[in-house]
Each structure stands twice: as structure tokens, then as C-alpha cells.
Amino acid sequence: MFKNSKTSIIIFAVLVVAAIAFFPTIGSNVKEYKDINGENDFSLCKITDEDIIKGMDSSTLNIVTFDEEQNEYWYLGKYFNGSTSLDTGTPLTENNTINIQKFSVTKGNARLLILADNTIVHDFIPNESNQELSLNNLQGDISLVIAGESTNFEVIFKVY
């Protein structure tokens, strides 16, 4: 096929890397969504509150990091679809405060919210920094959830 075996090896390696990069989306049940409400409106169009509460398949988050010294979490999603709870290190309780240092949406639609016992109790505002929420008076299972429709987002937060 190719006269040069080095060229064949390089092409083969590139194809293997490309296949691995796209593997998480092969055979996935995750739906793709079109942004039908315009690039400056980040509200969800198809995913409902009920979808978020019951949980739904979601595409993989690309980057997740944790700075243990600062107790800071960083999530980056590219072409994210669905909803998922964001790991906060330990279960959230009424004694915690969450500081959303950054919630940036650059494409698609997204919601960042707090669920308490399967009820949406708070929405954070996209593209607004330093949003803080005390979880006082919340009972039961509390989680920080991201929901998105073909969205690119970045979330940086601390839990106190």
C-alpha cells in the first residue's frame, strides 16, 4: 500500500490514536442536541427538570482536576450532553458552603444546579463568577449537578 514502512507505521499510529479519542462516543446512548435558542441564551431546550432529577446518560467530561491544598475542583466539558453529578470530594451536607468561582459556558446550553432529595433547589448563573451558596436548611442527599446540551463549559468551585 505505502512504499515507505515508516509512513505506514505513522498512519497506523494516527488512526489508533484517533480511534481511542473517539471511543467513548461509539455506541453511546447520549443524545446530541442542537442549540436552537441562540448562542447568547444558555437555557436548556430539550433536557427537562425531570430528566436532570432522574439522571441521564452523559458524555464524558474531558478534564477533571482537584487541588487538595486549596480544596478546589475544576471541570471542563467539551460537547457535553446529558447530566451528571460533579464530585465534591465528600458528600455535601447542610454544614457546607459552595463557592462557584467560575461557571463559563462558551457553546451550547448548560445548567449548574444544586439538588436536595431529588428537588432542584438552586441554579447558578452561567458566565458569572464568585457565586456562593450556603447549604443551610437543606436535608438529605445533596449534589452539585451539571446538565448540558452540546455545551462547552468550565466550572471551578470550592467546598467549605
Side-chain angles (χ1 to χ4, degrees):
M1 179 178 202
F2 296 100
K3 293 181 181 180
N4 185 340
S5 64
K6 282 186 178 180
T7 302
S8 297
I9 291 171
I10 290 171
I11 290 174
F12 178 76
V14 168
L15 291 173
V16 168
V17 169
I20 291 170
F22 292 107
F23 181 75
T25 60
I26 296 173
S28 173
N29 291 337
V30 177
K31 294 180 181 178
E32 291 291 325
Y33 297 96
K34 290 185 179 181
D35 186 358
I36 59 174
N37 57 354
E39 64 182 51
N40 294 320
D41 183 346
F42 303 110
S43 57
L44 299 177
C45 295
K46 300 283 185 179
I47 297 175
T48 65
D49 287 358
E50 292 77 26
D51 292 332
I52 294 167
I53 291 167
K54 75 176 180 179
M56 56 189 303
D57 290 334
S58 59
S59 54
T60 305
L61 298 177
N62 296 91
I63 297 174
V64 180
T65 63
F66 171 64
D67 181 345
E68 192 169 354
E69 262 183 47
Q70 299 293 320
N71 196 32
E72 182 177 86
Y73 297 82
W74 179 52
Y75 286 85
L76 179 65
K78 296 270 186 191
Y79 309 107
F80 177 79
N81 289 289
S83 69
T84 190
S85 292
L86 300 181
D87 182 17
T88 58
T90 59
L92 295 173
T93 70
E94 64 184 46
N95 299 323
N96 292 123
T97 297
I98 294 181
N99 178 267
I100 304 297
Q101 297 171 307
K102 182 176 186 179
F103 174 32
S104 170
V105 179
T106 56
K107 180 180 186 244
N109 303 314
R111 279 178 81 183
L112 181 65
L113 44 104
I114 297 289
L115 288 179
D117 274 347
N118 294 320
T119 302
I120 297 172
V121 295
H122 184 78
D123 271 280
F124 293 98
I125 302 167
N127 298 324
E128 189 168 308
S129 300
N130 295 317
Q131 301 177 64
E132 192 163 278
L133 178 68
S134 173
L135 303 180
N136 292 342
N137 303 320
L138 296 181
Q139 302 290 321
D141 186 29
I142 304 169
S143 57
L144 178 64
V145 174
I146 185 79
E149 297 169 341
S150 301
T151 190
N152 294 352
F153 72 89
E154 181 179 17
V155 174
I156 302 172
F157 66 91
K158 288 186 178 188
V159 178
Y160 305 101

